């Protein structure tokens, strides 16, 4: 049950981040380097920092220069996030490399790691919605609405556990096969982003 294994690691990472709650704090990954647990923790740390980047940049009073710097940090964070998803998919490709794919096997719309990416983001949604549902200085109405949303997120978590487990079982049995497309980000590439390559002329 990979999703059930990953989710507590995401929860631990989110709790660890919020001890200091600063986007510039160092990562203190407690897992053995090179292990899948280490990679999952590192992946969620990137997601957690970016979650808070997105909060900060929405401050209507933010200094424009600071906002530009933050936008570039978000772009860099997105690239790291994508790279880490590809590392996780490499883990699954290696794990299932010996599987005999059935002639009628089907491909999924997303790879296992992109499903795990959505689970990482869901862990963040659940953490912060729980904060709002229990915020002492919020109104009863606000807390009640947030609790309703939290209930939906928790239901989604259970559904994702089931769907990820079914996907991995299908891959393991050869009923589905993995096909990983390296993400072709264009906006950071000076040969593909017209704003950047025009400056090279």
């Amino acid at each position: 049950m990979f999703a059930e294994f990953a989710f507590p690691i995401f929860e631990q990472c989110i709790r660890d981040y919020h001890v200091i709650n600063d986007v510039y704090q160092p990562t203190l990954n407690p897992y053995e380097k090179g292990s899948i647990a280490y990679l999952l923790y590192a992946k969620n740390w990137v997601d957690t920092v970016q979650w808070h980047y997105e909060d900060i940049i929405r401050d209507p009073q933010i200094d424009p220069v600071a906002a530009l710097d933050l936008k570039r940090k978000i772009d860099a964070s997105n690239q790291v996030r994508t790279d880490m998803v590809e590392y996780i998919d490499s883990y699954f490709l290696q794990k299932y490399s010996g599987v005999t794919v059935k002639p009628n096997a089907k491909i999924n719309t997303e790879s296992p790691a992109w499903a795990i990416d959505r689970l990482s983001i869901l862990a963040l949604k659940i953490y912060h919605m729980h904060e709002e549902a229990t915020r002492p200085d919020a109104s009863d109405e606000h807390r009640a609405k947030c609790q309703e949303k939290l209930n939906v997120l928790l239901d989604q978590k259970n559904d994702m556990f089931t769907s990820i487990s079914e996907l991995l079982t299908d891959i393991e049995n050869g009923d589905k096969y993995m096909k990983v497309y390296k993400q072709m980000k264009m906006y950071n590439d000076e040969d593909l982003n017209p704003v950047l390559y025009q400056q090279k002329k």
Side-chain angles (χ1 to χ4, degrees):
M1 296 295 188
F2 191 87
E4 288 86 342
F5 165 74
F7 200 82
I9 295 173
F10 297 155
E11 291 181 308
Q12 178 187 359
C13 178
I14 295 165
R15 288 194 304 270
D16 290 349
Y17 172 91
H18 284 92
V19 171
I20 298 176
N21 199 15
D22 184 342
V23 293
Y24 299 107
Q25 66 185 295
T27 312
L28 299 175
N29 194 319
Y31 295 97
E32 181 182 355
K33 196 166 187 179
S35 68
I36 187 62
Y38 182 95
L39 186 54
L40 291 168
Y41 187 99
K43 166 70 176 68
N44 183 262
W45 188 274
V46 171
D47 295 338
T48 303
V49 170
Q50 184 162 337
W51 178 285
H52 292 87
Y53 280 161
E54 298 285 2
D55 279 348
I56 295 166
I57 204 167
R58 283 165 176 76
D59 180 355
Q61 305 300 321
I62 191 170
D63 175 73
V65 175
L68 178 59
D69 177 65
L70 195 52
K71 175 64 173 71
R72 288 177 174 155
K73 282 183 169 63
I74 291 170
D75 286 347
S77 178
N78 269 323
Q79 186 60 60
V80 172
R81 172 176 169 245
T82 298
D83 291 344
M84 297 190 86
V85 169
E86 291 177 355
Y87 293 148
I88 296 170
D89 264 334
S90 294
Y91 164 84
F92 287 118
L93 284 168
Q94 177 66 30
K95 182 175 182 179
Y96 299 120
S97 60
V99 170
T100 300
V101 178
K102 295 175 183 176
N104 62 342
K106 298 177 180 179
I107 191 168
N108 207 52
T109 56
E110 65 180 356
S111 70
W114 279 112
I116 295 300
D117 171 76
R118 291 195 297 116
L119 189 65
S120 174
I121 302 303
L122 183 62
L124 280 159
K125 290 180 180 179
I126 289 171
Y127 179 92
H128 289 97
M129 194 61 72
H130 179 266
E131 275 193 329
E132 291 301 314
T134 57
R135 182 155 63 91
D137 63 340
S139 67
D140 290 343
E141 181 183 11
H142 175 87
R143 288 196 296 268
K145 284 182 178 178
C146 290
Q147 184 61 53
E148 288 178 12
K149 292 177 181 179
L150 178 59
N151 292 341
V152 173
L153 292 171
L154 292 171
D155 189 41
Q156 184 182 2
K157 180 187 79 168
N158 291 332
D159 289 343
M160 287 196 70
F161 279 5
T162 300
S163 60
I164 290 170
S165 178
E166 288 175 352
L167 172 60
L168 294 177
T169 298
D170 285 345
I171 293 171
E172 189 172 359
N173 293 337
D175 295 314
K176 286 187 176 178
Y177 64 95
M178 283 185 65
K179 190 172 182 182
V180 176
Y181 303 93
K182 296 293 184 183
Q183 297 302 304
M184 299 175 192
K185 299 279 189 183
M186 298 179 70
Y187 51 76
N188 287 329
D189 192 322
E190 63 181 22
D191 292 323
L192 298 175
N193 180 332
V195 173
L196 297 180
Y197 65 63
Q198 291 289 346
Q199 294 177 10
K200 292 170 61 178
K201 291 182 178 179

